[in-house]
Amino acid sequence: MKAIVCTALACALGSAHAAQVAMEDQSQLKVPPASQAPVFMPPAQSELPDNAFGKMVRDGYALFVDTQRLAPAYVGNGMKCSNCHLDQGRMAHSAPLWGAYPMYPAYRKKNDKVNTYAERIQGCFQFSMNGKAPAADSHEISVLSVYSYWLASKAQIGVEPPGRGYPDVAQPAGGYDIARGKQVYQQQCALCHGADGEGQKVADDYVMPPLWGKDSYNWGAGMHRINTAASFIKYNMPLGKPGSLSDQQAWDVAAYINKHERPQDPRLVEGSVEKTRLKFHANDGVNLYGQTVEGVLVGQGTGK
């Protein structure tokens, strides 16, 4: 579902033809498989200068890997940035920051507007971390933006690099099966994420993220889409064994995970799951929000 990007020249001219050109939706962007091209290598920490810029990069790194503890006012669950962007945001095919930063500003269908990179980060706080968006000029957004810029500092601006995002994993011909997904979860995922998706803690800090329940991502997060979760799982999980699951297993276990309750979509329309489904979820990939699964309405939220 690639759309044609409106060029700067066409947009500036404001021609009737340009007005009809659909802008690219960054939230659903598909990227090439790992085998097609070598991926970008971000700079090493040893290359950081010992000055004010280097300090901001290090501050951004610290916040990225320890978000809940360092930004408690903005995080409402047990997640941190590095749960979805592995290897401190450096790993190809795990939505690396070096693949995201050069592609913004960009139109996103999710909120039907051109988003700055700061707004993209704000959305992660609101949805993936079920919290509150820091101000665009806040310390939190500033240091995360500087960290992202540094990782992408040797990349081309506006050129989609191999390894960006999560590579698309097409839905199997037979669809997905939640019962099979439960078996995959028990065999491949429960050791780290818990039998009930509760994650693992050391003292009060999560060392393995919860996959559902009150401390997981909410119903507005991109990972609630079965297709997005399947892509992340296929290329990154189980930890240390990426690519070991088949496409079918990735889709099945993604469906099993995302049939469980989690915090409500913060965009809830008039307290109605059905109105929220129609406005935000009906055309948002493959998801179970607002559907009845095993006799239960999915999307009622956990109350947090």
Side-chain angles (χ1 to χ4, degrees):
M1 49 179 273
K2 281 281 193 178
I4 299 173
V5 181
C6 180
T7 65
L9 177 61
C11 291
L13 291 174
S15 67
H17 172 71
Q20 299 174 11
V21 176
M23 296 185 72
E24 180 180 5
D25 174 18
Q26 297 280 343
S27 68
Q28 294 278 32
L29 192 64
K30 298 178 181 179
V31 300
S35 60
Q36 285 193 5
V39 297
F40 173 79
M41 292 297 293
Q45 287 200 18
S46 60
E47 299 177 46
L48 269 176
D50 186 16
N51 56 20
F53 174 76
K55 181 182 185 305
M56 283 196 77
V57 172
R58 292 183 178 93
D59 287 348
Y61 162 80
L63 181 58
F64 191 83
V65 301
D66 199 8
T67 323
Q68 186 185 40
R69 190 175 66 84
L70 295 181
Y74 303 109
V75 178
N77 60 14
M79 309 292 286
K80 53 191 175 185
C81 302
S82 56
N83 288 145
C84 295
H85 313 272
L86 302 183
D87 192 22
Q88 303 96 47
R90 304 172 66 92
M91 185 179 290
H93 309 297
S94 183
L97 301 187
W98 50 259
Y101 186 87
M103 300 299 290
Y104 283 86
Y107 174 78
R108 297 186 71 225
K109 185 172 66 176
K110 182 169 185 173
N111 54 18
D112 193 27
K113 60 177 287 192
V114 173
N115 286 208
T116 64
Y117 190 71
E119 289 174 311
R120 185 68 181 89
I121 299 174
Q122 287 175 320
C124 290
F125 277 97
Q126 184 181 14
F127 299 110
S128 295
M129 289 181 279
N130 192 40
K132 183 175 70 172
D137 61 352
S138 65
H139 170 76
E140 289 78 11
I141 297 296
S142 295
V143 298
L144 288 172
S145 296
V146 171
Y147 179 55
S148 302
Y149 163 80
W150 174 69
L151 288 178
S153 56
K154 297 179 182 179
Q156 291 182 283
I157 297 297
V159 177
E160 182 186 342
R164 178 178 187 248
Y166 308 131
D168 182 60
V169 177
Q171 184 171 358
Y176 56 81
D177 186 290
I178 290 174
R180 285 198 309 257
K182 181 178 181 179
Q183 294 179 338
V184 175
Y185 183 86
Q186 291 170 339
Q187 295 166 1
Q188 302 287 345
C189 313
L191 179 64
C192 291
H193 296 287
D196 294 316
E198 71 274 18
Q200 289 191 44
K201 281 184 172 182
V202 171
D204 293 329
D205 298 323
Y206 280 101
V207 293
M208 292 293 176
L211 300 184
W212 61 84
K214 65 182 181 62
D215 282 338
S216 189
Y217 52 89
N218 67 38
W219 280 116
M223 201 63 76
H224 95 283
R225 295 190 295 259
I226 296 172
N227 54 300
T228 299
S231 297
F232 173 80
I233 291 166
K234 170 70 176 181
Y235 280 86
N236 297 284
M237 294 288 133
L239 197 62
K241 297 191 294 181
S244 61
L245 299 181
S246 67
D247 292 1
Q248 183 70 67
Q249 287 175 311
W251 270 83
D252 289 348
V253 75
Y256 173 71
I257 290 168
N258 281 327
K259 71 108 176 179
H260 289 87
E261 278 301 341
R262 55 194 66 259
Q264 183 56 266
D265 190 331
R267 305 166 297 180
L268 187 67
V269 178
E270 299 175 6
S272 168
V273 170
E274 176 59 13
K275 289 182 179 180
T276 307
R277 183 190 72 80
L278 290 172
K279 184 169 184 178
F280 296 113
H281 298 270
N283 298 302
D284 187 20
V286 182
N287 70 85
L288 297 173
Y289 186 90
Q291 299 184 39
T292 299
V293 178
E294 299 172 351
V296 178
L297 176 65
V298 176
Q300 299 178 75
T302 58
K304 181 180 178 181

